[in-house]
Amino acid sequence: MKVLRSVAEVRAFRVDAASAGVGLVPTMGALHAGHASLVERAVRENDVAVVSIFVNPTQFAPHEDFAAYPRDESADLTMSEHLGAAMVFAPSVEEMYPAGDATRVQPGPVAARLEGAARPGHFAGVATVVTKLFAIVRPDVAYFGQKDFQQLRVVQTMSRDLRLGVRVSGCPTVRDPDGLAMSSRNRYLSADDHEAALALSRALLAAKADWSRGERDPAKLRDRVRRDTAVPGVALEYVSVADPLTLDELERPAERAVITLAARIGNARLIDNVLLGIALEEIA
Ligand code: AMP
């Protein structure tokens, strides 16, 4: 497995792999089984699987955890190689944002609400770095996790709108056996926090069960999640029942929906979601 640090090296790699099908898995490192599932799929579905590891400063607000974000490159390289990646692109901040860098990709309305409202500028940072990664690696397909559902929709919409020619494929959320969605930020959780955090996936599962029993009223689904997350240690930031493609909030019963939520637990801010009436493969 090659480990490349510069844009020039990746361009040369790509010339050598000119006729290969290339799959890209963009990550911020601190890889866990959730990331691994994306890499496995990229390896399975492409001639060449590339993993990028880059903690992208422009998607963090000044008060957020950019400096403290977990970093463990040697473990990430071992895991990537073990999974069969052909190349890891692990650039420096200066390589991705050269001196004088000032251009930003501004996503549309799909980025406005939920995480976009809670974290102003976050999705412009994501859209910008993903555009750069797509331009550097020139993958045929890129893999993103359902765990960050709005991010998946922002990147899919951007790739379509900007005619980037990259298929953006969603991969199911990988969970701990107890239901907690895996996240690099879970390492901020104490044992008590972890216990409290289980309320999130439990509430989403309960809402999904309500949906299976025929509940379609978005207000009732929101109430269900609010009730089930009203436990000590969980500070719910938002719960949304939205159209799964536009992420517009549903005001009336619909036949497909996504419930997304964000909550503060201890020192961590966690997000999770569940799709209702639509399969992840249909999200494109
Ligand atoms: P991150 O390193 O947090 O930026 O995540 C890199 C990619 O892995 C993103 O597309 C995430 O949505 C995805 N990802 C993170 N956690 C999970 C998970 N538990 N299951 C599936 N995909 C995930």
Side-chain angles (χ1 to χ4, degrees), residues 107 110-111 123 126-127 149-159:
V110 71
F123 283 126
V126 169
F149 186 77
Q150 191 177 14
Q151 169 173 277
L152 170 67
R153 287 302 300 141
V154 166
V155 174
Q156 286 180 328
T157 307
M158 177 189 84
S159 188

Side-chain angles (χ1 to χ4, degrees), residues 58 97 101-106 124-125 128 132:
T58 64
Y97 294 96
D101 169 279
T103 304
R104 294 292 176 270
V105 177
Q106 192 62 53
T128 300
K132 290 177 187 243

Side-chain angles (χ1 to χ4, degrees), residues 26-29 32 34-35 37-38 69 143-145 147-148 151 171-174 181-182 184:
T27 81
M28 298 204 299
H32 51 64
H35 299 111
S37 74
L38 275 59
Y69 194 83
Y143 298 88
F144 284 79
K147 215 274 282 168
D148 302 278
Q151 169 173 277
C171 302
T173 302
V174 176
M182 288 191 173
S184 307

